[in-house]
Amino acid sequence: MMSTRLLALLQPHAVRRSLPQICSARLSSLRRQHENITTAFCQPGSCFFNKSDDHKQRIWPPLLAGHSCGRRFFSLTPAGIVNAAPASVQPYLRLMRLDKPIGTWLLYLPCMWSIGLAADPGCLPDLRMLALFGVGALLMRGAGCTINDMWDKDFDKKVSRTATRPIASGEITSFQALVFLGGQLSLALGVLLCLNYYSIALGAASLITYWPQFVLGLTFNWGALLGWSAVKGLCGWSVCLPLYVSGVMWTLIYDTIYAHQDKDDDLKVGVKSTALRFQENTKLWLSGFTGAMLSGLVLAGANADQTLPYYSAVCAVAIHLAHQIYAVDINRPEDCWKKFASNRNLGLLLFLGIVTGNLWKKRNDHQYETQLNSISN
C-alpha cells in the first residue's frame, strides 16, 4: 500500500520534471523543420531572400519585405520601379533620380499652377499640356541631376550622403553619363517642339544659366512663364511675373532647408550655400521669403480674377509654410529632408485651389460659343 501511494505521489513530479524536456524537444524539432524549409527554399535561384542582405536572415521577414527568389516583388513606388529594372539600367535611373521624384514634382508644380491659371473660366486645365509638361519636367530634372553629378563628382565622393551616387561611386563613367545626358536633352527637345513658337523660344531661354540657390530658383520656376504661354500663345505678365517671383521665393525656402542637410560637409569641402549664409538666422530669412511668396500669389490671383477657393488655398499654403519654418530642426538632417519633401503637398494644395477657383468662375458664354463654332467649322 505504501509503495502504491509513494508511486502516486511521485508521478505528478515526474510529469512536471519532464515538461521542460518535452517542450525543449518540441522546439528543437520545430527549429529543425524551419531550417529545412529555409534551406529548401533558399537554394541559389530559388530563395526567398538575397543572402547579401545581412539584416534579413529568416524566411518570413524577407518574404514580408518583398523578396522572392532573390528579387523584390514589383512595387509601384518610385524606388520599387527602379529596383525592378534590369541591373544594368538601375544606375542610370538613379542618376536621373527616378527613385526620388520630389525634385521632379518641385519642377513640375509651377508649370501646373501656370497652366491652371491660364484655363478658361469654368474649365479644367488643359490635360494635354499637363501631360507634356509632366514628361518634360521628368526629363529636364533628370538632365539637371546628370549635369550636377558630372560637375560635382569629386565633391560627391567627400560627402557621405552623395558618395553612393552612380558617377561618384564609379558605376557610371563620365562619358556614359554624357551620352545619357544627350539622350535626355534630345527627348526634352522633342517635348518642347510640341509647343507653340513663342513657348519654344521661352523654353530655350531657360538653358542659359545654372547656379545654386537663387539662380536655381530662376531656372527651376521657368515653367510658371512657360505654362501660360503654352496655353495662351504668349505670356500674360500681370499673372505670370508675380507667380514666377512666388516660385523663386518658394525655391529659396525649400532649397535652404534642403541645404542644411549637408552644411557640415559643405563647410569642409568649401561649397557655399544659403544654409551656411543664413546659419542661425535661417528661420528669419525663410519668414521673409514666405511673405514675398504669399504676396506674389495674392497678386497673381487678383490679376487672374481668381475666386474664394484659390485664396483659401493660399491661406492653407501660408499655414503650411509657417509650420515648416517653426517646426524644422535645421541641425537634424532627417527632419530637414522631411520638411523639404512636404513641399510637394504644398504645391498640390495650391494647384487644387487654382483648379477649384477657376471652376468657381462663371463661364464666358460668348467666348464658349465662339470656341464651339471654331471647332465645328
Side-chain angles (χ1 to χ4, degrees):
M1 179 66 68
M2 180 65 69
S3 61
T4 304
R5 290 181 178 178
L6 182 62
L7 181 61
L9 290 171
L10 289 177
Q11 279 181 346
H13 294 281
V15 172
R16 290 192 191 99
R17 286 195 300 269
S18 65
L19 277 176
Q21 298 175 359
I22 294 172
C23 291
S24 177
R26 181 58 179 164
L27 289 173
S28 298
S29 175
L30 289 173
R31 189 179 296 110
R32 284 194 299 270
Q33 292 177 16
H34 179 275
E35 291 172 353
N36 291 336
I37 294 172
T38 304
T39 302
F41 281 101
C42 295
Q43 296 299 323
S46 62
C47 62
F48 277 96
F49 64 96
N50 278 330
K51 295 188 178 181
S52 60
D53 293 346
D54 296 332
H55 62 293
K56 297 172 182 176
Q57 293 298 322
R58 293 291 183 270
I59 188 169
W60 294 114
L63 190 58
L64 295 174
H67 284 75
S68 178
C69 298
R71 297 180 182 177
R72 295 182 183 276
F73 290 129
F74 181 73
S75 171
L76 289 178
T77 63
I81 293 172
V82 172
N83 291 336
S88 59
V89 177
Q90 288 185 24
Y92 293 96
L93 299 181
R94 287 189 286 109
L95 179 61
M96 65 183 299
R97 309 291 197 275
L98 194 64
D99 56 332
K100 298 176 180 179
I102 179 61
T104 301
W105 277 109
L106 296 176
L107 181 60
Y108 181 40
L109 283 164
C111 307
M112 296 172 65
W113 301 344
S114 187
I115 293 170
L117 286 170
D120 292 329
C123 298
L124 290 170
D126 189 322
L127 297 181
R128 176 176 174 273
M129 287 299 168
L130 287 174
L132 281 175
F133 276 79
V135 174
L138 179 67
L139 292 170
M140 289 306 298
R141 193 262 178 143
C145 291
T146 302
I147 293 173
N148 178 78
D149 287 8
M150 291 173 66
W151 285 355
D152 293 347
K153 61 180 180 180
D154 294 329
F155 288 112
D156 287 346
K157 293 175 182 178
K158 302 175 184 178
V159 178
S160 57
R161 187 178 61 83
T162 60
T164 57
R165 288 178 175 174
I167 299 177
S169 64
E171 290 182 89
I172 295 177
T173 65
S174 296
F175 177 75
Q176 289 173 324
L178 182 62
V179 173
F180 184 56
L181 173 63
Q184 292 176 91
L185 291 176
S186 298
L187 292 173
L189 177 61
V191 172
L192 184 61
L193 293 177
C194 294
L195 307 179
N196 54 58
Y197 292 123
Y198 184 94
S199 300
I200 291 172
L202 191 62
S206 67
L207 299 176
I208 293 175
T209 56
Y210 181 85
W211 293 284
Q213 257 90 27
F214 179 67
V215 180
L216 175 64
L218 296 179
T219 56
F220 227 58
N221 292 279
W222 207 253
L225 308 176
L226 193 57
W228 183 287
S229 70
V231 176
K232 297 290 190 181
L234 50 84
C235 217
W237 294 107
S238 63
V239 176
C240 293
L241 192 57
L243 183 67
Y244 177 65
V245 172
S246 295
V248 174
M249 295 299 104
W250 184 43
T251 301
L252 282 169
I253 294 167
Y254 66 66
D255 203 51
T256 298
I257 293 174
Y258 180 88
H260 271 284
Q261 295 180 102
D262 300 328
K263 59 186 178 183
D264 294 335
D265 291 320
D266 289 346
L267 192 61
K268 292 176 184 177
V269 300
V271 174
K272 296 180 180 180
S273 70
T274 50
L276 295 177
R277 170 66 179 81
F278 302 153
Q279 297 184 8
E280 296 305 317
N281 293 322
T282 290
K283 294 190 176 185
L284 182 62
W285 281 92
L286 296 185
S287 298
F289 296 147
T290 298
M293 176 186 176
L294 295 174
S295 299
L297 290 177
V298 170
L299 182 58
N303 292 335
D305 298 322
Q306 273 292 342
T307 54
L308 179 62
Y310 172 82
Y311 294 107
S312 299
V314 172
C315 291
V317 166
I319 295 171
H320 194 292
L321 287 172
H323 175 263
Q324 275 192 63
I325 296 170
Y326 176 78
V328 66
D329 185 346
I330 59 175
N331 296 313
R332 288 180 58 225
E334 61 275 12
D335 190 54
C336 291
W337 172 261
K338 182 179 178 180
K339 298 300 187 297
F340 165 76
S342 71
N343 281 278
R344 183 200 65 172
N345 297 335
L346 183 152
L348 290 173
L349 181 63
L350 181 59
F351 178 68
L352 179 62
I354 291 171
V355 173
T356 54
N358 204 56
L359 292 174
W360 191 282
K361 297 177 186 178
K362 291 183 179 179
R363 189 197 302 268
N364 187 324
D365 292 333
H366 175 70
Q367 182 182 10
Y368 184 59
E369 289 174 3
T370 304
Q371 290 177 354
L372 289 178
N373 292 332
S374 63
I375 293 173
S376 62
N377 293 333

